[in-house]
DNA sequence: AGCACGCCGACT
DNA sequence: GTCGGCGTGCTC
């Protein structure tokens, strides 16, 4: 019965693979344990997913496993099933899904001493219910959340709370410690040893709160009662490498298996999620604002002619009034650094990243040119590197340039900067000039006035989520101001601004859903994006077209394929990128279509194809 | 993902 | 003649 084990590995190949188990190892074998195996001529770690008496492997005699690593399985049935489901949905191998679910210490084969605990999979412990919590009132929203968490803990159940990133995690940790003294933190950025320790504590028997980033959705808790996803649509929940999973969606999968409750929290929910609530799959719970700060839209088309006018008259007046009354101001500009383009006025040469071909930004504080996509850095050249006859001129506005403009306009005001790399909020300031990184602190402080310098850059992105992203930014910024919110735009008639000004959520989602329906975008279809990348542009281009032609030939009903186009990032880290979008009702059907199309096509050397479900 | 096997150009 | 290019295919 246990002569043969079925093993999967953390590689993009399906398996499972059969191995022979020597008699001396048979007693140790169990599903969910790690084993050391010979694989493709080298030693690897494999994960036992099954046992058998005989193998159907046609290749003759099986290789024997070297050893069994774990005394107790590190994966219980629930996590085995969950990772299996994740692998099917996102189109990766089971082994890859298992590997992303584990702390790095365990992937590297470290041995551990794990106590034996049973898990409660399949036992109906609570009502499976999904709540979409729209929390525009921090007090009531928090009361609701903490009450739910408290109830689960009191019932002896575990709670998993997912947060988008570390600042929110630290803040939430303090809040959650008021509810329970057992708050376990899980984050891939922890040191290997600490990560493993916390992972082990997450698996302990007593009820606890596991607080973590994306990967904490796989926390090995045994009696899951509630999952909370804070800022449900945050970008960081989507893994940008294979497996391209979304933390929120895996949370929903996991909750479905365990019959546990889910609370998805967001001020301006993702339209896909909003639609679920509208259809009744989820319950929408809205706590409205006690008092909403006034929002004023300033039409900047009038300012077009006058050069270098960043601050409109109404905004300037509001800043003066606020600072005079000893209030604080945030000016929002979603662009790091000083300038965004550096050009030679003589020969028109533009400084670009050698790997991404994007214009380099200048970081004034660091005196460096940098690429916003990769981590390329260079010094600012004295003269034009091409014609050597002129100094370079910079244009394009980042927060550092805005700071210098403001220093000119308001020489007496204290100015501060805040972006992704800012560690601490400036201690004293009258005006804080910030990128969207400021939203990390949205629950931690607020100001009297927020001015958005131009909100249009987001809206002009060729991304079907851009309208919602803009709306969401507007709503979140508005929540951070106590008195006034001024938005400068050249698109004042756009529904994002109009509905945000009126706090008209229904209006916004009605428009957005209409737009999504017309174009057959989520939630009405699933999207799968296929990115073909290669160092040689020709290789990438030819590969994507080979693939596209094959897809055309084998096209199925209900599946739509767009023509290949350069990706939003046409070149990244030295690789040219082309994209195909596939649309269809079911992600699984799209994926199986993509798989069959992929089979037997001619492969161009150096071209890499990656498949991203729900990009 | 690696690594081995396999079929066409410049070397001692 | 052989060394080696990377194109193709497999890993129990």
């Amino acid at each position: 019965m246990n002569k043969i084990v079925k093993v999967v590995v953390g590689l993009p190949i399906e398996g499972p693979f059969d191995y022979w188990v020597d008699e001396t190892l048979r007693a140790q074998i169990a599903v969910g344990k790690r084993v050391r195996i010979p694989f493709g001529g080298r030693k690897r770690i494999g994960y036992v997913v099954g046992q058998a008496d005989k193998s159907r492997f046609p290749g003759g005699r099986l290789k024997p496993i070297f050893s069994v690593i774990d005394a107790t399985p590190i994966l219980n049935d629930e996590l085995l099933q969950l990772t299996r489901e994740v692998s099917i949905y996102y189109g990766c191998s089971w082994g890859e899904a298992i590997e992303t679910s584990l702390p790095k210490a365990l992937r590297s084969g470290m041995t551990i001493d794990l106590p034996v605990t049973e898990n409660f999979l399949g036992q109906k412990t609570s009502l499976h219910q999904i709540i979409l919590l729209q929390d525009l009132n921090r007090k009531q929203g928090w009361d609701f959340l903490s009450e739910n968490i408290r109830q689960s803990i009191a019932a002896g159940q575990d709670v998993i709370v997912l947060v988008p990133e570390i600042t929110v995690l630290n803040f939430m940790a303090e809040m959650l410690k008021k509810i329970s003294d057992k708050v376990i933190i899980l984050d891939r950025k922890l040191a290997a040893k600490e990560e493993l320790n916390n992972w082990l504590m997450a698996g302990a028997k007593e009820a606890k709160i596991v607080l973590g980033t994306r990967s904490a959705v796989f926390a090995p808790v045994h009696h899951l009662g509630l999952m909370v996803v804070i800022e449900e649509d945050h970008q960081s929940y989507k893994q940008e490498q294979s497996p391209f999973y979304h933390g929120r969606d895996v949370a929903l999968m996991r909750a479905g298996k365990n019959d546990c409750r889910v609370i998805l929290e967001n001020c301006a929910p993702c339209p896909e999620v909003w639609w679920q609530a509208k259809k009744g799959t989820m319950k929408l719970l809205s706590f409205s604002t006690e008092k909403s700060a006034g929002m004023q839209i300033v039409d900047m088309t009038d300012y077009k002619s006058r050069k270098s006018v960043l601050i409109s008259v109404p905004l300037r007046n509001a800043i003066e009034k606020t600072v005079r009354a000893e209030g604080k101001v945030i000016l929002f500009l979603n662009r790091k650094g000083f300038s965004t383009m550096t050009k030679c006025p003589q020969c028109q040469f533009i400084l670009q990243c050698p790997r991404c071909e994007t214009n380099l930004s200048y970081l004034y504080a660091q005196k460096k040119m940098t690429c916003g996509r990769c981590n390329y850095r260079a010094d600012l050249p004295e003269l034009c590197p091409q014609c050597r006859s002129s100094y370079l001129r910079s244009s394009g506005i980042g927060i550092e340039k805005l700071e210098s403009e403001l220093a000119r306009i308001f020489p007496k005001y204290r100015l501060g900067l805040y972006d992704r790399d800012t560690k601490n909020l400036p201690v004293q300031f009258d005006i804080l000039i910030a990128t969207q990184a400021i939203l990390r602190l949205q629950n931690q402080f607020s100001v009297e006035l927020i001015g958005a310098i131009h909100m249009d850059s987001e809206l002009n992105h060729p991304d079907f989520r851009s309208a919602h992203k803009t709306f969401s930014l507007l709503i979140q910024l508005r929540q951070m101001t106590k008195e006034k919110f001024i938005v400068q735009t050249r698109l004042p008639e756009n529904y994002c601004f109009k509905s945000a000004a009126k706090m008209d959520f229904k209006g916004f989602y009605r428009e957005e859903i209409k737009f999504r329906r017309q174009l057959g975008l989520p939630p009405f279809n699933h999207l799968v994006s296929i990115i073909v990348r290669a160092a040689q542009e020709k290789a990438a281009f030819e590969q994507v077209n080979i693939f596209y032609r094959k897809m055309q030939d084998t096209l199925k009903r209900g599946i739509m394929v767009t023509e290949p186009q350069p990706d939003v990032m046409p070149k990244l880290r030295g690789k040219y990128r082309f994209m195909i979008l596939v649309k269809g009702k079911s992600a699984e059907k799209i994926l199986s279509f993509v798989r069959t199309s992929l089979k037997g096509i001619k492969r161009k050397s150096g071209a890499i194809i990656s498949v991203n479900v729900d990009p």
Side-chain angles (χ1 to χ4, degrees):
Chain A
M1 183 48 205
N2 52 6
K3 289 200 276 284
I4 284 151
V5 274
K6 295 189 170 291
V7 175
V8 294
V9 290
L11 295 174
I13 38 175
E14 256 320 307
F17 299 95
D18 292 351
Y19 282 85
W20 176 256
V21 186
D22 284 339
E23 258 172 86
T24 51
L25 294 173
R26 276 183 206 161
Q28 297 175 49
I29 279 292
V31 169
K33 288 186 182 185
R34 292 170 299 161
V35 287
R36 288 187 200 283
I37 48 163
F39 191 83
R42 34 201 333 261
K43 277 188 186 180
R44 282 205 77 95
I45 292 167
Y47 307 92
V48 178
V49 296
Q51 296 185 80
D53 223 1
K54 56 178 184 239
S55 172
R56 286 196 280 129
F57 178 60
R61 64 189 84 74
L62 299 177
K63 289 184 180 172
I65 62 168
F66 293 131
S67 62
V68 180
I69 299 173
D70 300 307
T72 314
I74 58 162
L75 291 151
N76 60 32
D77 284 349
E78 189 224 343
L79 287 174
L80 279 167
Q81 283 180 39
L82 180 65
T83 49
R84 179 80 193 115
E85 202 173 312
V86 165
S87 76
I88 291 165
Y89 188 82
Y90 291 101
C92 66
S93 75
W94 193 356
E96 284 178 293
I98 287 174
E99 214 143 81
T100 36
S101 83
L102 293 174
K104 41 194 169 298
L106 294 181
R107 282 176 294 198
S108 71
M110 186 189 278
T111 56
I112 49 158
D113 193 14
L114 197 66
V116 188
T117 39
E118 76 277 36
N119 86 325
F120 287 77
L121 179 63
Q123 297 187 20
K124 312 253 177 220
T125 51
S126 62
L127 186 67
H128 176 47
Q129 188 187 27
I130 307 164
I131 291 167
L132 172 54
L133 172 62
Q134 190 187 20
D135 178 17
L136 299 162
N137 170 322
R138 285 166 208 170
K139 172 93 178 57
Q140 282 179 299
W142 172 251
D143 287 349
F144 175 79
L145 258 186
S146 55
E147 188 46 38
N148 273 273
I149 295 170
R150 209 171 271 127
Q151 275 174 20
S152 296
I153 299 288
Q157 299 167 348
D158 295 311
V159 178
I160 296 178
V161 179
L162 298 184
V163 287
E165 49 85 56
I166 200 73
T167 315
V168 185
L169 188 145
N170 290 335
F171 173 76
M172 196 53 91
E174 292 309 311
M175 299 294 277
L176 292 173
K177 277 174 194 162
K178 294 176 196 161
I179 300 175
S180 164
D181 52 2
K182 291 195 191 70
V183 179
I184 313 291
I185 289 170
L186 277 182
D187 180 22
R188 283 283 122 91
K189 289 196 188 81
L190 293 175
K193 207 179 159 194
E194 196 184 5
E195 186 196 19
L196 176 63
N197 263 336
N198 294 3
W199 187 86
L200 290 170
M201 285 195 284
K205 218 167 185 176
E206 64 276 316
K208 72 197 89 61
I209 302 170
V210 174
L211 169 66
T213 46
R214 180 176 62 229
S215 60
V217 75
F218 296 107
V221 296
H222 286 95
H223 197 174
L224 188 55
L226 171 66
M227 295 189 108
V228 179
V229 185
I230 301 294
E231 252 182 275
E232 139 283 319
D233 73 332
H234 199 283
Q235 284 184 34
S236 65
Y237 285 127
K238 178 77 175 167
Q239 183 150 78
E240 284 304 326
Q241 288 117 40
S242 176
F244 295 84
Y245 75 91
H246 196 294
R248 172 201 59 210
D249 297 335
V250 176
L252 291 171
M253 275 183 204
R254 188 168 183 184
K257 304 175 130 6
N258 287 273
D259 254 335
C260 87
R261 283 169 302 144
V262 185
I263 300 173
L264 303 180
E265 186 276 332
N266 202 341
C267 287
C270 177
E272 290 91 313
V273 170
W274 178 275
W275 184 244
Q276 293 294 315
K278 179 130 176 104
K279 284 202 307 185
T281 331
M282 297 180 188
K283 185 174 176 250
L284 176 66
L285 187 61
S286 257
F287 293 115
S288 57
T289 33
E290 289 151 344
K291 58 172 179 70
S292 197
M295 174 171 154
Q296 182 186 349
I297 297 169
V298 178
D299 184 352
M300 293 301 278
T301 44
D302 297 344
Y303 290 81
K304 202 181 242 168
S305 52
R306 284 197 277 158
K307 236 177 88 184
S308 92
V309 172
L310 292 168
I311 315 277
S312 62
V313 174
L315 180 54
R316 184 185 173 139
N317 290 342
I319 293 171
E320 281 172 350
K321 195 177 154 206
T322 305
V323 178
R324 235 183 274 133
E326 294 185 356
K328 289 187 188 306
V329 180
I330 291 176
L331 290 183
F332 175 83
L333 175 65
N334 210 5
R335 198 79 202 226
K336 271 191 67 164
F338 185 81
S339 61
T340 56
M341 173 151 73
T342 308
K343 192 171 170 182
C344 171
Q346 286 291 314
C347 72
Q348 310 300 312
F349 175 81
I350 298 171
L351 272 186
Q352 288 193 322
C353 173
R355 303 165 71 206
C356 306
E357 288 175 20
T358 52
N359 298 345
L360 294 175
S361 296
Y362 182 59
L363 299 186
Y364 181 82
Q366 299 177 36
K367 304 264 176 285
K368 289 275 181 204
M369 304 296 308
T370 60
C371 171
R373 286 180 186 166
C374 69
N375 53 10
Y376 178 81
R377 297 167 78 80
D379 290 321
L380 177 65
E382 283 272 318
L383 291 171
C384 171
Q386 187 169 276
C387 68
R388 307 219 146 258
S389 66
S390 175
Y391 293 107
L392 296 164
R393 282 181 54 185
S394 71
S395 58
I397 299 121
I399 54 170
E400 286 178 324
K401 189 184 276 179
L402 181 58
E403 182 193 26
S404 68
E405 293 263 319
L406 287 165
R408 222 181 21 136
I409 306 170
F410 306 115
K412 296 209 175 110
Y413 294 179
R414 294 166 299 175
L415 305 177
L417 289 171
Y418 196 97
D419 65 28
R420 157 164 40 103
D421 301 320
T422 309
K423 286 182 188 77
N424 300 305
L425 193 65
V427 189
Q428 289 191 322
F429 65 86
D430 299 309
I431 306 175
L432 185 69
I433 303 139
T435 66
Q436 67 171 354
I438 197 67
L439 295 174
R440 305 197 282 227
L441 305 174
Q442 62 180 294
N443 294 312
Q444 296 168 56
F445 93 117
S446 58
V447 293
E448 279 66 35
L449 169 70
I450 295 186
I453 299 305
H454 64 167
M455 287 299 292
D456 304 349
S457 48
E458 192 62 53
L459 214 46
N460 293 330
H461 275 167
D463 172 4
F464 75 92
R465 297 184 201 282
S466 65
H468 174 254
K469 177 100 187 283
T470 302
F471 179 72
S472 178
L473 271 174
L474 289 167
I475 295 297
Q476 289 178 80
L477 287 171
R478 191 172 184 173
Q479 294 307 108
M480 282 185 84
T481 171
K482 283 177 265 191
E483 284 164 19
K484 197 155 191 173
F485 183 32
I486 295 179
V487 180
Q488 301 184 159
T489 175
R490 289 185 179 167
L491 302 157
E493 295 304 312
N494 188 287
Y495 66 101
C496 294
F497 299 111
K498 295 214 138 174
S499 41
K502 287 184 279 183
M503 292 298 268
D504 179 14
F505 286 89
K506 282 186 182 144
F508 172 78
Y509 288 105
R510 200 186 311 120
E511 282 297 311
E512 184 63 12
I513 291 287
K514 198 168 91 190
F515 156 76
R516 300 277 184 102
R517 194 198 301 271
Q518 274 165 3
L519 295 177
L521 293 164
F524 301 101
N525 274 308
H526 280 278
L527 296 182
V528 171
S529 79
I530 293 155
I531 305 274
V532 177
R533 59 186 205 275
Q536 302 296 314
E537 189 171 10
K538 195 169 166 252
F541 183 76
E542 283 173 8
Q543 182 69 84
V544 81
N545 281 299
I546 290 168
F547 195 13
Y548 178 65
R549 263 178 260 128
K550 176 73 183 291
M551 288 174 110
Q552 288 287 294
D553 292 345
T554 52
L555 202 58
K556 287 200 168 64
R557 264 190 71 222
I559 289 182
M560 284 155 287
V561 182
T562 66
E563 274 182 41
Q565 52 197 295
D567 184 48
V568 210
M569 294 174 279
K571 196 182 177 193
L572 181 68
R573 291 179 238 279
K575 298 243 161 54
Y576 292 89
R577 298 157 64 91
F578 291 89
M579 185 191 62
I580 295 174
L581 269 182
V582 192
K583 270 192 234 173
K585 284 268 174 271
S586 132
E588 219 174 316
K589 280 189 184 134
I590 301 173
L591 214 55
S592 81
F593 164 69
V594 169
R595 273 234 184 77
T596 48
S597 303
L598 213 45
K599 231 173 257 170
I601 61 162
K602 196 182 165 209
R603 301 302 290 264
K604 284 274 163 188
S605 140
I608 301 157
I609 302 174
S610 56
V611 178
N612 186 345
V613 177
D614 301 337

